[in-house]
Amino acid sequence: DTEVTQTPKHLVMGMTNKKSLKCEQHMGHRAMYWYKQKAKKPPELMFVYSYEKLSINESVPSRFSPECPNSSLLNLHLHALQPEDSALYLCASSSGTGVGGYTFGSGTRLTVV
Amino acid sequence: AQKVTQAQTEISVVEKEDVTLDCVYETRDTTYYLFWYKQPPSGELVFLIRRNSFDEQNEISGRYSWNFQKSTSSFNFTITASQVVDSAVYFCALSRINTGGFKTIFGAGTRLFVKA
């Protein structure tokens, strides 16, 4: 199994809603990542989990809350988002060092209304 | 500071033409990694190639080839005999081992249109 699965593929939420994005991989990768990609822009790193511990937080607002319940799962909890948070949210995984490159999921396209 | 520059925003070619996507990077690290990713309209980023800073050997994989030159801080990507399925956004990326993990920054991307 050489893929990263993200659910849901599309999500529309109001500014007062609470929702979660889910990411799953079964490649034995020990590093997992959340990226945010606005239209016609490159992906921007949000969080890095290494061996199930949060190792990098790129000064992301607290309305985004990551969680890594185990080595295969990565969640992104969303609360009180703003319309400007609408974007494609990409999950990726890699070996512990990451030097082999990332395997990306197909993303969740989020629209905040 | 680290930076990746992809000066070509969009390129349009006719099928079977060769096309080169440029990538210039900046880093003060002696150990770093360079990547190319492809993002088709479906949205998923697909890993194409990795090079580490100590390996300047060029590589060919089918119709794809990469030219890594440290002297000019460039890592260019050539598609030979392009096909419609090559239409996508291509990102060049630079990675380093950072305190806390492996950080990758992406260039702005080059959108390639291949017309039949």
Side-chain angles (χ1 to χ4, degrees), chain A residues 1-2 9 15 17 21 24 26-27 29 35 37 39 45 54 56 66 79 91 102:
Chain A
D1 192 353
T2 56
K9 292 197 181 306
M15 289 188 283
N17 292 158
L21 309 185
E24 188 169 5
H26 294 288
M27 294 176 282
H29 287 169
Y35 277 83
Q37 187 178 23
L45 181 65
L54 182 64
I56 295 177
H79 174 55
C91 174
Y102 297 169

Side-chain angles (χ1 to χ4, degrees), chain B residues 1-18:
Chain B
Q2 296 200 111
K3 187 178 178 181
V4 177
T5 301
Q6 294 180 255
Q8 304 148 309
T9 305
E10 290 187 0
I11 300 175
S12 184
V13 299
V14 177
E15 208 170 21
K16 297 185 183 176
E17 282 186 25
D18 298 347

Side-chain angles (χ1 to χ4, degrees), chain A residues 67-107:
Chain A
E67 178 196 21
C68 189
N70 59 55
S71 60
S72 299
L73 293 174
L74 185 66
N75 299 322
L76 186 63
H77 303 298
L78 314 172
H79 174 55
L81 295 193
Q82 303 296 311
E84 57 265 29
D85 295 322
S86 299
L88 179 67
Y89 289 83
L90 291 159
C91 174
S93 70
S94 71
S95 64
T97 61
V99 300
Y102 297 169
T103 301
F104 279 89
S106 55

Side-chain angles (χ1 to χ4, degrees), chain B residues 36-40 44-46 48 64 85-90:
Chain B
W36 277 95
Y37 287 88
K38 174 182 179 181
Q39 189 173 38
E44 180 177 346
L45 278 136
V46 178
L48 296 178
Y64 295 170
V85 293
D86 296 326
S87 297
V89 180
Y90 291 86

